[in-house]
């Protein structure tokens, strides 16, 4: 079993980005600038957004964090988005999800200028991705493609099972892996909460990508010998033995699955760091 080290790979990508930024600065070109909007004080979202902002500093980007209170109205949020859309200093920005229930997520995502939508969530960019036109790929699937490529994991002709049909991970992942591309050409099965015989389907898989948000859902009896496992889950699970009161759990029961896997991503240190690196890559592209 070989660990797929997202931390090391993300660090390599960030180094490549930092060099490109340095190059731009030497030529007198604009420094990339990413903005992030956070609404409310969800603990996990605050952690993610802070990591994104910190990563910007590390590669030499400028960054702006717009921290809005929980009771922000949809109208106020749309106004903030309009300001970022019009601001020539801002190359790309994200609105951290999930949003408070009172705000219509789809309406918010559609208000973002597609040219600054470095999350790749705007319908225009989802359409371009689906049609294999150049666009911003959503950061988590983009990071997974990058891990598969950099670890030379063959996807062409392989049976890939994606568990979870979210707009952020499962759905785009299934589309990308089936396309004619590097880290593509796979036979993809997209499974979800209504799927019957999930275990039988998983037992046929050469590669399994789990993005459900249910800690330790995938167990050793559900996978075949030699399978490649990509674990996207990262859930805070109460743990009194930890100083902060919780531990981070993936969607994969690492103990039993790693015994059969040829490659596996750990949690933390697998897909998570890659998501941030690919968001930076998209921001650099937006600036270029
Ligand atoms: N919430 C969970 N993942 C993401 C992401 O990739 N982008 C944004 N904006 N919100 C998220």
């Amino acid at each position: 079993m070989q660990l797929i080290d997202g931390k090391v790979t993300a660090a390599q990508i960030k180094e490549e980005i930092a060099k490109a930024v340095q190059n731009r600065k030497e030529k007198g070109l604009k420094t990339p600038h990413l903005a992030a909007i956070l609404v409310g004080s969800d603990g996990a979202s605050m952690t993610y957004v802070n990591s994104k902002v910190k990563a910007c500093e590390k590669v030499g980007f400028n960054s702006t964090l717009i921290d809005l209170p929980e009771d922000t109205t949809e109208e106020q949020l749309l106004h903030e988005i309009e300001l970022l859309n019009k601001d020539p200093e801002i190359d790309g920005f994200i609105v951290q999800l999930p949003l408070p229930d009172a705000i219509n997520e789809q309406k918010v995502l559609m208000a973002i200028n597609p040219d600054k939508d470095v999350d790749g969530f705007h319908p225009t960019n989802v359409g371009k991705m689906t049609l294999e036109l150049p666009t911003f790929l959503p950061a988590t699937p983009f990071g997974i493609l990058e891990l598969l490529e950099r670890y030379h994991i063959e996807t062409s002709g392989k049976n890939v099972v994606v568990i979870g049909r979210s707009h952020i991970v499962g759905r785009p992942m299934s589309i990308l892996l089936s396309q004619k591309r590097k880290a593509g050409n796979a036979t993809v099965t997209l499974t979800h909460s209504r799927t019957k015989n999930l275990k039988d389907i998983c037992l046929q898989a050469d590669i399994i990508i789990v993005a459900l948000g249910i800690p330790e859902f995938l167990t050793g009896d559900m996978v075949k010998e030699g399978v490649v496992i990509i674990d996207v889950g990262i859930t805070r699970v109460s743990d009194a033995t930890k100083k902060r009161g919780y531990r981070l759990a993936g969607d994969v029961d690492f103990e039993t699955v790693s015994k059969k896997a040829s490659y596996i991503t750990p949690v933390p240190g697998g897909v998570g760091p890659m998501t941030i690196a690919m968001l930076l890559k998209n921001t650099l592209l937006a600036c270029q």
Side-chain angles (χ1 to χ4, degrees), residues 9-272:
T9 311
Q12 283 166 359
I13 294 168
K14 281 191 259 185
E15 213 165 283
E16 292 160 17
I17 294 170
K19 271 191 197 137
V21 173
Q22 190 56 37
N23 248 321
R24 289 183 65 83
K25 287 182 183 175
E26 280 162 16
K27 286 188 193 146
L29 295 169
K30 186 183 177 302
T31 300
H33 192 152
L34 174 72
I37 302 180
L38 174 66
V39 186
S41 48
D42 173 70
S45 288
M46 279 163 60
T47 310
Y48 296 145
V49 169
N50 285 327
S51 307
K52 290 171 184 178
V53 170
K54 237 198 263 158
C56 283
E57 282 167 27
K58 222 172 153 203
V59 296
F61 285 9
N62 293 325
S63 64
T64 300
L65 173 59
I66 297 167
D67 204 342
L68 302 175
E70 180 78 28
D71 61 359
T72 300
T73 64
E74 191 175 283
E75 203 183 348
Q76 286 166 333
L77 177 55
L78 291 172
H79 176 67
E80 290 293 336
I81 291 172
E82 207 36 48
L83 293 178
L84 293 175
N85 280 342
K86 285 191 189 138
D87 186 345
E89 167 57 23
I90 302 294
D91 299 295
F93 65 97
I94 64 159
V95 178
Q96 186 66 25
L97 304 177
L99 289 167
D101 291 340
I103 298 178
N104 181 331
E105 187 176 295
Q106 205 53 48
K107 203 164 160 189
V108 166
L109 295 179
M110 285 177 72
I112 299 173
N113 174 354
D115 293 333
K116 294 192 177 188
D117 169 39
V118 286
D119 258 330
F121 293 166
H122 189 282
T124 296
N125 290 328
V126 176
K128 286 184 176 176
M129 175 202 67
T130 305
L131 296 171
E132 302 178 46
L133 298 170
T135 185
F136 302 115
L137 299 183
T140 303
F142 192 10
I144 293 170
L145 293 178
E146 200 70 26
L147 282 177
L148 293 170
E149 264 182 50
R150 293 190 185 225
Y151 276 82
H152 307 291
I153 293 167
E154 182 61 82
T155 55
S156 180
K158 301 293 181 187
N159 287 331
V160 177
V161 171
V162 178
I163 309 179
R165 57 182 159 183
S166 74
H167 293 168
I168 296 181
V169 187
R171 177 87 50 188
M173 193 75 260
S174 70
I175 293 169
L176 290 163
L177 282 165
S178 69
Q179 290 177 342
K180 236 182 222 180
R181 55 155 53 243
K182 259 207 263 178
N185 295 303
T187 304
V188 182
T189 306
L190 179 59
T191 68
H192 45 76
S193 53
R194 304 287 176 94
T195 296
K196 298 213 172 12
N197 307 321
L198 181 65
K199 181 177 171 178
D200 293 339
I201 295 168
C202 286
L203 281 166
Q204 302 294 318
D206 303 305
I207 301 171
I208 304 180
I209 296 167
V210 206
L212 267 182
I214 302 178
E216 284 135 26
F217 174 84
L218 190 81
T219 48
D221 59 313
M222 297 170 77
V223 306
K224 74 175 181 186
E225 205 63 52
V227 68
V228 175
I229 300 287
I230 306 290
D231 187 354
V232 184
I234 183 155
T235 308
R236 292 180 176 193
V237 176
S238 314
D239 186 340
T241 70
K242 297 274 190 266
K243 216 160 88 188
R244 54 186 181 182
Y246 67 88
R247 68 184 169 88
L248 295 174
D251 288 350
V252 174
D253 178 36
F254 191 88
E255 172 81 19
T256 55
V257 173
S258 63
K259 289 198 173 92
K260 291 167 103 177
S262 56
Y263 290 88
I264 186 166
T265 59
V267 175
V271 173

